[in-house]
Amino acid sequence: MTLVGVLALQGSFNEHIAVLRRLGVKGVEIRKPEQLQNVTSLIIPGGESTTMAKLAEYHNLFPSLREFVKMGRPVWGTCAGLIFLADKATGQKTGGQQLVGGLDCTVHRNFFGSQIQSFEAEVLAPEVASKEGGPETFRGVFIRAPAILEAGPEVQVLADYPVPSNISTSPYSSGEEQKENVEQSKVIVAVRQGNILATAFHPELTADTRWHSYFLKMANEIAETSNSQLQLQVNINYSQKQLNELPIFQ
Ligand SMILES: NC(=O)CC[C@H](N)C(=O)O
């Protein structure tokens, strides 16, 4: 049975669990490091990444979360979850915050501005639509949303979004100053890198279940590959054992 862990320290974890339920999958609330051992994949929800990081620190979750990602288990971060997964974040509160990391990118924590600059928009994600069917666009709910400003070569861009003209795309700016000629530039808002999926927006707040279904398929594919690798390993060990156990005739 597929058990998807949902980090349940703060933010929209209930909404993720509700979507999983609609897809017939059980979401398990994760609050302690040892609970990660019972799940095969993990969703890190949106919320407020600084608060979430403080709670994760308090519950000593960072080492196990990092281990989970490093072991190649499927992980999806939405919004604050994306910030958690990024190797580098800018626009952090004074003192910064711990990150889980693993996703080779620089994320701007509040790229699209504050709460009142939150918005909804259609986001084009052809790769996800090709797997899941339906229209090529998805409703993107952007709440104090981050954006990916730089991504490494291993990162597959699933969706980008035009930068509003009053925002700078420099990773080192506060994101508030004006810059000329940025009307045409775009920032990345959804990516995949191996076992990591990350979105700057909140699919769990829409009726469209395709992002969740995409993640579940991705998780199944990863599980199948690691099972067959495990099987291969078992076979190799078995045949070596057989070789070693060949009777020696003297
Ligand atoms: N909706 C969200 O998750 C917002 C994330 C927020 N920008 C943060 O820093 O945590």
Side-chain angles (χ1 to χ4, degrees), residues 45-52 78-81 83 91 97 108-111 113 142-146 200 202:
E48 211 285 318
S49 58
T50 317
T51 312
M52 217 187 279
T78 57
C79 207
I83 301 169
Q97 70 199 46
H108 191 301
R109 216 185 116 241
N110 275 329
F111 182 78
F142 291 83
I143 305 171
R144 287 175 283 108
H202 291 261

Short mmCIF file of all heavy atoms in Angstrom, two decimals, residues 45-52 78-81 83 91 97 108-111 113 142-146 200 202, ligand 1:
data_model
loop_
_atom_site.label_atom_id
_atom_site.label_comp_id
_atom_site.label_asym_id
_atom_site.label_seq_id
_atom_site.Cartn_x
_atom_site.Cartn_y
_atom_site.Cartn_z
N PRO A 45 4.58 20.72 2.60
CA PRO A 45 3.55 21.65 2.14
C PRO A 45 4.00 23.11 2.17
O PRO A 45 5.09 23.43 2.64
CB PRO A 45 2.42 21.44 3.16
CG PRO A 45 3.14 21.06 4.41
CD PRO A 45 4.36 20.29 3.99
N GLY A 46 3.11 23.97 1.70
CA GLY A 46 3.33 25.41 1.81
C GLY A 46 2.93 25.88 3.19
O GLY A 46 2.28 25.16 3.95
N GLY A 47 3.34 27.08 3.50
CA GLY A 47 3.04 27.66 4.80
C GLY A 47 3.96 28.85 4.98
O GLY A 47 3.99 29.74 4.14
N GLU A 48 4.76 28.83 6.02
CA GLU A 48 5.74 29.90 6.23
C GLU A 48 7.05 29.20 6.55
O GLU A 48 7.18 28.55 7.60
CB GLU A 48 5.28 30.82 7.36
CG GLU A 48 5.74 32.27 7.19
CD GLU A 48 7.21 32.43 7.52
OE1 GLU A 48 7.65 31.82 8.52
OE2 GLU A 48 7.93 33.12 6.78
N SER A 49 8.00 29.33 5.63
CA SER A 49 9.18 28.46 5.72
C SER A 49 10.03 28.72 6.96
O SER A 49 10.64 27.79 7.49
CB SER A 49 10.02 28.57 4.45
OG SER A 49 10.42 29.90 4.24
N THR A 50 10.07 29.98 7.44
CA THR A 50 10.90 30.27 8.63
C THR A 50 10.31 29.57 9.85
O THR A 50 11.02 28.92 10.63
CB THR A 50 10.99 31.79 8.88
OG1 THR A 50 11.19 32.44 7.64
CG2 THR A 50 12.10 32.14 9.82
N THR A 51 9.00 29.69 10.00
CA THR A 51 8.31 29.04 11.13
C THR A 51 8.45 27.52 11.01
O THR A 51 8.74 26.83 11.99
CB THR A 51 6.80 29.40 11.10
OG1 THR A 51 6.69 30.81 10.93
CG2 THR A 51 6.09 28.97 12.35
N MET A 52 8.24 27.02 9.79
CA MET A 52 8.33 25.57 9.58
C MET A 52 9.73 25.06 9.92
O MET A 52 9.89 24.01 10.52
CB MET A 52 7.97 25.25 8.13
CG MET A 52 7.20 23.98 7.96
SD MET A 52 6.97 23.53 6.25
CE MET A 52 5.61 24.55 5.78
N THR A 78 5.86 22.07 -2.02
CA THR A 78 5.04 23.14 -2.60
C THR A 78 5.31 24.43 -1.82
O THR A 78 5.21 24.43 -0.60
CB THR A 78 3.52 22.81 -2.55
OG1 THR A 78 3.13 22.57 -1.20
CG2 THR A 78 3.20 21.58 -3.37
N CYS A 79 5.63 25.49 -2.53
CA CYS A 79 5.80 26.83 -1.96
C CYS A 79 6.86 26.84 -0.84
O CYS A 79 8.03 26.73 -1.15
CB CYS A 79 4.44 27.34 -1.51
SG CYS A 79 4.38 29.13 -1.54
N ALA A 80 6.49 26.92 0.44
CA ALA A 80 7.49 26.87 1.50
C ALA A 80 8.28 25.56 1.39
O ALA A 80 9.48 25.51 1.69
CB ALA A 80 6.85 26.99 2.87
N GLY A 81 7.62 24.50 0.92
CA GLY A 81 8.28 23.20 0.72
C GLY A 81 9.36 23.28 -0.34
O GLY A 81 10.41 22.66 -0.23
N ILE A 83 11.06 26.01 -0.95
CA ILE A 83 12.17 26.74 -0.29
C ILE A 83 13.00 25.76 0.54
O ILE A 83 14.23 25.76 0.49
CB ILE A 83 11.62 27.89 0.59
CG1 ILE A 83 10.81 28.87 -0.25
CG2 ILE A 83 12.75 28.61 1.33
CD1 ILE A 83 10.01 29.91 0.52
N GLY A 91 16.58 36.30 0.13
CA GLY A 91 15.41 37.00 0.67
C GLY A 91 14.92 36.38 1.97
O GLY A 91 13.75 36.48 2.33
N GLN A 97 17.64 30.67 7.71
CA GLN A 97 16.91 29.51 8.19
C GLN A 97 17.58 28.28 7.62
O GLN A 97 18.22 28.34 6.57
CB GLN A 97 15.45 29.58 7.77
CG GLN A 97 15.26 29.39 6.28
CD GLN A 97 13.90 29.91 5.79
OE1 GLN A 97 13.47 31.00 6.13
NE2 GLN A 97 13.25 29.12 4.97
N HIS A 108 14.15 32.50 -4.57
CA HIS A 108 13.88 33.74 -3.84
C HIS A 108 12.62 33.51 -3.02
O HIS A 108 11.56 33.21 -3.56
CB HIS A 108 13.70 34.92 -4.81
CG HIS A 108 13.68 36.24 -4.08
ND1 HIS A 108 12.77 36.52 -3.10
CD2 HIS A 108 14.49 37.33 -4.18
CE1 HIS A 108 13.00 37.74 -2.62
NE2 HIS A 108 14.04 38.25 -3.25
N ARG A 109 12.77 33.67 -1.70
CA ARG A 109 11.71 33.27 -0.76
C ARG A 109 10.36 33.96 -0.98
O ARG A 109 9.31 33.33 -0.90
CB ARG A 109 12.22 33.57 0.65
CG ARG A 109 11.78 32.56 1.65
CD ARG A 109 12.20 32.97 3.04
NE ARG A 109 11.01 33.20 3.81
CZ ARG A 109 10.66 34.34 4.37
NH1 ARG A 109 11.44 35.39 4.29
NH2 ARG A 109 9.54 34.43 5.03
N ASN A 110 10.38 35.25 -1.24
CA ASN A 110 9.11 35.97 -1.40
C ASN A 110 9.12 36.69 -2.73
O ASN A 110 8.77 37.87 -2.82
CB ASN A 110 8.94 37.02 -0.29
CG ASN A 110 8.33 36.40 0.95
OD1 ASN A 110 7.55 35.45 0.86
ND2 ASN A 110 8.70 36.92 2.09
N PHE A 111 9.53 36.00 -3.79
CA PHE A 111 9.78 36.65 -5.06
C PHE A 111 8.60 37.50 -5.55
O PHE A 111 8.77 38.62 -6.02
CB PHE A 111 10.13 35.61 -6.13
CG PHE A 111 10.44 36.24 -7.45
CD1 PHE A 111 11.68 36.82 -7.67
CD2 PHE A 111 9.50 36.28 -8.47
CE1 PHE A 111 11.98 37.43 -8.87
CE2 PHE A 111 9.78 36.89 -9.67
CZ PHE A 111 11.02 37.47 -9.88
N GLY A 113 6.32 38.92 -3.90
CA GLY A 113 5.87 39.97 -2.99
C GLY A 113 5.15 39.43 -1.77
O GLY A 113 5.19 38.24 -1.47
N PHE A 142 -0.74 31.38 -6.19
CA PHE A 142 0.55 31.90 -5.71
C PHE A 142 0.30 32.72 -4.45
O PHE A 142 -0.30 33.80 -4.52
CB PHE A 142 1.20 32.79 -6.78
CG PHE A 142 1.66 32.03 -8.01
CD1 PHE A 142 0.77 31.72 -9.03
CD2 PHE A 142 2.98 31.65 -8.14
CE1 PHE A 142 1.20 31.04 -10.17
CE2 PHE A 142 3.43 30.96 -9.27
CZ PHE A 142 2.53 30.66 -10.28
N ILE A 143 0.72 32.21 -3.30
CA ILE A 143 0.52 32.93 -2.03
C ILE A 143 1.89 33.29 -1.45
O ILE A 143 2.65 32.40 -1.09
CB ILE A 143 -0.26 32.05 -1.02
CG1 ILE A 143 -1.58 31.57 -1.64
CG2 ILE A 143 -0.51 32.81 0.28
CD1 ILE A 143 -2.31 30.53 -0.81
N ARG A 144 2.19 34.57 -1.39
CA ARG A 144 3.54 35.01 -0.96
C ARG A 144 4.57 34.08 -1.60
O ARG A 144 5.47 33.54 -0.94
CB ARG A 144 3.67 34.96 0.57
CG ARG A 144 2.91 36.04 1.30
CD ARG A 144 2.98 35.86 2.80
NE ARG A 144 2.08 34.81 3.25
CZ ARG A 144 2.46 33.62 3.70
NH1 ARG A 144 3.72 33.31 3.84
NH2 ARG A 144 1.57 32.73 4.06
N ALA A 145 4.42 33.92 -2.89
CA ALA A 145 5.11 32.80 -3.54
C ALA A 145 6.59 33.05 -3.82
O ALA A 145 6.99 34.15 -4.17
CB ALA A 145 4.40 32.48 -4.85
N PRO A 146 7.37 31.98 -3.68
CA PRO A 146 8.78 32.05 -4.08
C PRO A 146 8.90 31.81 -5.59
O PRO A 146 7.91 31.51 -6.26
CB PRO A 146 9.39 30.87 -3.32
CG PRO A 146 8.27 29.88 -3.20
CD PRO A 146 6.99 30.67 -3.15
N ALA A 200 6.16 26.29 -6.99
CA ALA A 200 6.09 27.55 -6.22
C ALA A 200 4.65 27.86 -5.82
O ALA A 200 4.40 28.70 -4.96
CB ALA A 200 6.66 28.69 -7.06
N HIS A 202 0.34 26.35 -5.26
CA HIS A 202 -0.36 25.39 -4.37
C HIS A 202 -1.40 24.56 -5.11
O HIS A 202 -2.60 24.87 -5.01
CB HIS A 202 -1.09 26.16 -3.27
CG HIS A 202 -0.21 26.82 -2.26
ND1 HIS A 202 0.06 26.27 -1.04
CD2 HIS A 202 0.43 28.00 -2.29
CE1 HIS A 202 0.85 27.07 -0.35
NE2 HIS A 202 1.09 28.13 -1.09
N1 LIG B 1 2.59 30.02 0.61
C1 LIG B 1 3.81 29.80 1.02
O1 LIG B 1 4.21 28.70 1.33
C2 LIG B 1 4.66 31.03 1.14
C3 LIG B 1 6.09 30.75 1.45
C4 LIG B 1 6.74 32.00 2.01
N2 LIG B 1 7.19 32.86 0.98
C5 LIG B 1 7.86 31.59 2.93
O2 LIG B 1 8.88 32.14 3.00
O3 LIG B 1 7.76 30.67 3.65
#
